[in-house]
Amino acid sequence: MFRLISSLLFILAGLLQSVILFGQDPELCLERIVLNYDSVLFDRNRDYEADRLYTLGNKNNNLLFVFKCNDSEAMLSYYLEGNDAEWTPWFRQSVKEYTNLRPGEYNFYVRTGKRGLITGEFHAGNFIVEPPFYLTTFAYIAYSGILLIVLVLLFRLQVHRHKMKQAKLESVIQERTEELMNEKQKTETLLANLLPKDTADEIMSKGKATKQKYNFVTVLFSDIQGFTRIAEEINPEVLIDELDRFFFHFDSVVEKYNIEKIKTIGDAYMCAGGIPRRNRTNPMEVVLAALEMQEYMTHLKKEQVARGIKFWDIRIGIHTGTVIAGVVGHKKLSYDIWGDTVNTASRMESSGIPGKINISGITYEYVKDFFICEYRGKMPVKYKGDLDMYFVKGIRPELRKEGKAEPNKTFIHKLLALKIQDLEDYFFEWYEENAPDKFVFHTTRFLKNICTQAELLATAEKADPENILALRLAALFIKSGMIDNYKEPVEPSVRKLKEMAPDYGFDEKYISAAELIIRNIYDKNTGDKEVRVLSDAINDYRGHVDYPQVTALRYEEENEFVGPLNKDKWYIEEYEMIREFEFFTETARFLKTYSGTGQAENLDSFNKHIK
């Protein structure tokens, strides 16, 4: 019991001591605060109270606190909250210095004590050391903005560098591509000069070319008279230059008439028409080329005679027939032709006379309506027996220009009348390959019927021959544009006309006339006879007995490419149209099987039957 009372008294004495300690005047006071050793921030005689918040610049971070203690035996301990980790040891010194304080908020405390006991605690003030500008919030925001800008700029720089690198790479690729294309073009040009284009393309794509048989080819051989003797008497360089001069001109002539140069062997020159693109006009074109070669050599002969030098004269032989054409060799490619036709053409040349064009009886049969030919009779030919031969004297008077040995418009028109058949063959082959399977009405057969009817009606209606050619061109291409644009076929049709027709000798005059006919057909402008004729040719099926069945195919096709269509409405409109339908030309009206009213009845019966 005594021990318990003693303990309680001890605790009470301690509490009483504490109350006395913090409540009493410790006789300690803050005399001054010195800033940066030269400025007095606080002076007790001036400011009376230091217990307030001081804001200091970032450079005013050296503070000296000076205290006054009336008790000489008192010890002092300091604690700067925000800087010190704990209270300092006890000192008798009443001065405390802090240097290079970091930016932040501080509270300064002082304790007094005796004999190890704390006798008092004094709050000496609080203050803030401002950070330098580069450490302020605004500065950090600025740094973030600058960093963001730098990152954006770096990103853009990287993107720009990437684009520049890519552009440079693309430029290098384009440059290399152009170089490759140039080399490819040079290779193709070289091959085109050595081989026919189709054959060259086949070699480029497949690595080889297949040999083909051509049933209608005209072969020309030319040879210089007495070349062996001339070669012995003339300077070799002059000889080669003269040969090159001749053959260069011959090359330009055969190119003009779309004839294929085969080869030269010494002084012999060989070419053939009708390869690699088959055509019906090659006999006339080869003879025209031979006449130009002959005229060139005649003119050259006059010059040589005038200059007093030996003249060169040539023999030309021509024959028409079947050949095999293809490429021989693996490294040094050569396009050549073989067959009895080649041998016969060579015999025509060797059996000829210098300065003359000698053709076979077969070639004569093809060209006799275009050229004046002199019959030589049956001439003996080695390994061939006796063959009919003719000398070509020139173009027929009615087919050549007055005073000139050149073909006139009539000649060209007759030739184009044959060429358009070649164009038709090529076009129908193209159309068959490209027309959609669902073209059940506009079939190749339907287009062929348009061409046939257009020519027949135009001839019966006595249209101008030149206009008939333009009409036939228009009839051929009138529906071609439907492959590209079924609803608006005009422009594609005209484009296809301009793409194909020039390759078959048709100039701007014929192409423009055909284009006008096509446009007038779609605009329903029937003022010109040719437009009326073509309109009747297109609508020819409306006068035939199978009109209802063909019309059903037209509905099926239009429903696919224009529709979907209301079938009943479509047939009602067709019924009303056919009742009033009539052809423009007298010939078409004469050839029709049923009138409009009759066809309307047929259509009505057909509809009821299929329902």
Side-chain angles (χ1 to χ4, degrees), residues 323-512:
V323 301
I324 302 295
V327 175
V328 293
H330 296 284
K331 293 184 178 180
K332 293 183 178 181
L333 302 177
S334 174
Y335 186 78
D336 208 346
I337 56 177
W338 304 271
D340 185 66
T341 299
V342 179
N343 297 331
T344 304
S346 177
R347 297 291 183 263
M348 291 298 111
E349 177 269 316
S350 60
S351 301
I353 298 174
K356 299 285 186 179
I357 300 170
N358 190 36
I359 65 174
S360 67
I362 294 176
T363 302
Y364 167 77
E365 292 300 324
Y366 293 113
V367 304
K368 62 184 179 181
D369 293 333
F370 292 84
F371 302 96
I372 302 171
C373 300
E374 178 186 335
Y375 182 54
R376 299 182 62 193
K378 290 187 177 292
M379 305 293 291
V381 175
K382 188 176 181 181
Y383 305 126
K384 296 290 181 181
D386 294 337
L387 297 179
D388 289 323
M389 297 186 191
Y390 295 80
F391 283 141
V392 178
K393 308 296 288 185
I395 301 172
R396 287 189 172 276
E398 68 275 14
L399 300 179
R400 66 171 179 249
K401 293 180 180 179
E402 188 175 351
K404 295 183 179 179
E406 297 178 13
N408 60 14
K409 291 182 179 180
T410 307
F411 186 107
I412 294 172
H413 173 78
K414 289 187 66 173
L415 203 62
L416 289 177
L418 294 173
K419 283 181 175 290
I420 198 168
Q421 297 179 52
D422 296 326
L423 176 55
E424 286 173 347
D425 291 345
Y426 179 77
F427 173 83
F428 291 133
E429 184 179 341
W430 169 84
Y431 190 85
E432 190 72 32
E433 291 177 358
N434 291 276
D437 293 336
K438 294 183 179 180
F439 267 27
V440 293
F441 176 74
H442 289 98
T443 60
T444 305
R445 179 183 176 183
F446 179 75
L447 267 61
K448 287 182 177 180
N449 184 70
I450 291 176
C451 294
T452 303
Q453 286 299 115
E455 184 181 6
L456 186 152
L457 294 176
T459 304
E461 293 292 319
K462 298 180 180 179
D464 181 86
E466 288 193 4
N467 292 344
I468 291 178
L469 272 180
L471 172 64
R472 291 179 66 183
L473 278 178
L476 187 61
F477 290 96
I478 187 70
K479 299 295 183 180
S480 63
M482 301 185 79
I483 292 176
D484 294 328
N485 191 332
Y486 193 92
K487 294 181 180 180
E488 297 180 2
V490 180
E491 296 306 325
S493 294
V494 170
R495 187 164 58 248
K496 186 57 65 177
L497 164 69
K498 293 180 178 179
E499 177 186 327
M500 288 188 178
D503 290 341
Y504 289 83
F506 291 93
D507 58 20
E508 183 63 29
K509 180 184 71 174
Y510 289 101
I511 293 173
S512 297

Side-chain angles (χ1 to χ4, degrees), residues 89-149:
W90 294 97
F91 297 99
R92 290 187 181 277
Q93 188 176 4
S94 59
V95 177
K96 179 59 178 175
E97 180 181 11
Y98 287 97
T99 60
N100 296 322
L101 291 173
R102 297 184 302 274
E105 185 174 352
Y106 298 92
N107 282 290
F108 188 51
Y109 299 94
V110 182
R111 283 178 178 175
T112 58
K114 281 184 180 180
R115 292 183 294 279
L117 295 175
I118 300 172
T119 59
E121 184 173 318
F122 175 66
H123 180 250
N126 60 329
F127 54 91
I128 295 175
V129 178
E130 293 182 331
F133 174 77
Y134 56 84
L135 294 178
T136 61
T137 302
F138 179 79
Y140 283 120
I141 293 174
Y143 296 152
S144 300
I146 292 172
L147 179 61
L148 181 62
I149 292 172

Side-chain angles (χ1 to χ4, degrees), residues 159-176:
V159 170
H160 177 70
R161 286 178 176 175
H162 178 70
K163 287 183 177 179
M164 292 294 291
K165 187 176 181 180
Q166 187 176 7
K168 186 177 180 180
L169 183 61
E170 288 177 355
S171 177
V172 172
I173 292 173
Q174 184 177 359
E175 189 176 322
R176 296 291 185 270

Side-chain angles (χ1 to χ4, degrees), residues 94-248:
S94 59
V95 177
K96 179 59 178 175
E97 180 181 11
Y98 287 97
T99 60
N100 296 322
L101 291 173
R102 297 184 302 274
E105 185 174 352
Y106 298 92
N107 282 290
F108 188 51
Y109 299 94
V110 182
R111 283 178 178 175
T112 58
K114 281 184 180 180
R115 292 183 294 279
L117 295 175
I118 300 172
T119 59
E121 184 173 318
F122 175 66
H123 180 250
N126 60 329
F127 54 91
I128 295 175
V129 178
E130 293 182 331
F133 174 77
Y134 56 84
L135 294 178
T136 61
T137 302
F138 179 79
Y140 283 120
I141 293 174
Y143 296 152
S144 300
I146 292 172
L147 179 61
L148 181 62
I149 292 172
V150 169
L151 289 175
V152 170
L153 291 176
L154 287 174
F155 176 75
R156 289 186 175 181
L157 180 61
Q158 188 68 17
V159 170
H160 177 70
R161 286 178 176 175
H162 178 70
K163 287 183 177 179
M164 292 294 291
K165 187 176 181 180
Q166 187 176 7
K168 186 177 180 180
L169 183 61
E170 288 177 355
S171 177
V172 172
I173 292 173
Q174 184 177 359
E175 189 176 322
R176 296 291 185 270
T177 303
E178 288 179 356
E179 290 178 0
L180 289 173
M181 290 300 293
N182 289 334
E183 291 302 319
K184 182 175 180 290
Q185 188 174 3
K186 289 179 182 178
T187 303
E188 290 177 349
T189 302
L190 180 61
L191 272 177
N193 289 332
L194 296 174
L195 307 172
K197 185 179 184 305
D198 294 345
T199 304
D201 291 342
E202 188 177 3
I203 289 176
M204 293 289 288
S205 60
K206 299 180 181 179
K208 62 178 182 179
T210 56
K211 296 176 176 59
Q212 294 188 15
K213 181 178 180 181
Y214 295 87
N215 293 321
F216 189 55
V217 175
T218 302
V219 180
L220 179 150
F221 270 95
S222 73
D223 183 75
I224 296 176
Q225 175 69 19
F227 179 78
T228 304
R229 178 177 52 79
I230 295 172
E232 293 174 353
E233 299 176 357
I234 197 171
N235 185 294
E237 293 182 2
V238 175
L239 178 70
I240 297 303
D241 289 342
E242 285 296 309
L243 274 178
D244 183 61
R245 180 183 175 189
F246 301 155
F247 292 159
F248 179 82

Side-chain angles (χ1 to χ4, degrees), residues 587-604:
T587 307
R589 289 194 292 269
F590 175 77
L591 293 174
K592 70 182 179 182
T593 306
Y594 288 96
S595 64
T597 305
Q599 288 291 41
E601 293 174 357
N602 291 338
L603 183 63
D604 187 50

